[in-house]
Amino acid sequence: MGHSLQKTPKLYAILTGKCPHCRRGAIFTGSMYGFNVQRTNYKCAHCGQRFEIEPGYFYAAMYVSYAMNMAEMISMGFLTYYLSNGKLDFDSVWLYVGVIFLGSLFLSPLNYRYSRIILLHLLSPKIKYNANFDKS
């Protein structure tokens, strides 16, 4: 009888920060929020895939992070407008500035992590998933 491989879902690997090649090893050490600072591993502990494919590779993650940050800031602006009952005058400018600044500051570790994960999983044509690693 043929052995069918149960593939690790891509969405699971993205949400949990797993290697795009084997979907088993962790991309980061440390927690997103906490005292042990998150760092990107040099390579996957499970399959040996290098995460920084070439020097300066993660500079491209800045573009992904920028898009994420803009979407978050616009959402926070609309949410502030909605929760303040449509208050949009000169006196409420600092309310918007404060909410958007503190929200962006709070979400920066999430943006750091997921901009790199999105870059590796969705925008890196050199890295392909290998289902053979699901055997082990």
Side-chain angles (χ1 to χ4, degrees):
M1 289 191 142
H3 180 267
S4 66
L5 287 175
Q6 180 67 26
K7 292 184 175 182
T8 304
K10 186 172 197 159
L11 183 61
Y12 171 80
I14 290 172
L15 291 176
T16 57
K18 300 298 182 186
C19 172
H21 185 61
C22 66
R23 298 183 185 170
R24 297 286 178 158
I27 296 174
F28 292 94
T29 60
S31 63
M32 193 172 351
Y33 294 99
F35 293 112
N36 53 346
V37 177
Q38 64 178 334
R39 299 199 191 285
T40 307
N41 288 325
Y42 176 73
K43 64 180 184 174
C44 177
H46 190 261
C47 69
Q49 171 70 45
R50 279 187 46 208
F51 294 127
E52 189 169 14
I53 298 170
E54 53 197 34
Y57 180 72
F58 285 122
Y59 283 124
M62 289 188 308
Y63 297 107
V64 177
S65 178
Y66 175 76
M68 291 171 64
N69 201 357
M70 290 306 298
E72 293 160 0
M73 288 171 36
I74 290 168
S75 299
M76 285 184 273
F78 280 118
L79 187 63
T80 304
Y81 178 78
Y82 176 74
L83 293 176
S84 68
N85 294 322
K87 189 176 180 187
L88 188 60
D89 55 9
F90 187 73
D91 293 335
S92 63
V93 164
W94 291 108
L95 172 66
Y96 286 89
V97 170
V99 167
I100 291 171
F101 176 76
L102 291 175
S104 295
L105 190 65
F106 178 74
L107 291 172
S108 63
L110 179 125
N111 289 343
Y112 170 80
R113 181 174 288 226
Y114 281 98
S115 64
R116 290 179 177 221
I117 291 171
I118 289 170
L119 177 69
L120 287 169
H121 276 275
L122 304 176
L123 303 173
S124 296
K126 292 181 180 180
I127 302 176
K128 299 290 183 200
Y129 172 58
N130 186 346
N132 290 327
F133 286 108
D134 280 330
K135 292 178 184 177
S136 54

